[in-house]
Amino acid sequence: MKEFCLDCWNKLTGSEYNPLCFLFSEEPDFCEECGEWKPVIVCFKRRCRIVEWFHEKFSDFSR
């Protein structure tokens, strides 16, 4: 699995995720996009995935 820092993840996905949405590695790891040693994303926190799903599912109703 590829490992990305938050800045690279946001750049690659065109999003503006908050660091509070993820669990990060405890020690710096190699980001495969920028090539720097930084904390990388391990996974989404469960609550943020639910919020993302909700926004995606119901964003069409607000128009």
Side-chain angles (χ1 to χ4, degrees):
M1 185 172 142
K2 294 201 175 226
E3 297 175 332
F4 300 108
C5 65
L6 180 63
D7 294 334
C8 290
W9 178 259
N10 283 335
K11 181 177 72 173
L12 289 170
T13 60
S15 58
E16 295 182 19
Y17 283 107
N18 186 316
L20 298 175
C21 290
F22 297 99
L23 291 176
F24 292 93
S25 60
E26 291 184 18
E27 295 189 17
D29 205 342
F30 186 75
C31 173
E32 296 183 29
E33 178 68 19
C34 67
E36 295 182 28
W37 289 88
K38 298 179 177 181
V40 295
I41 296 170
V42 174
C43 65
F44 268 98
K45 288 183 180 175
R46 174 173 252 170
R47 184 180 184 287
C48 286
R49 292 196 93 174
I50 292 169
V51 170
E52 281 295 313
W53 175 84
F54 184 82
H55 285 293
E56 288 174 7
K57 187 79 171 168
F58 297 105
S59 65
D60 293 334
F61 293 116
S62 62
R63 294 179 185 171

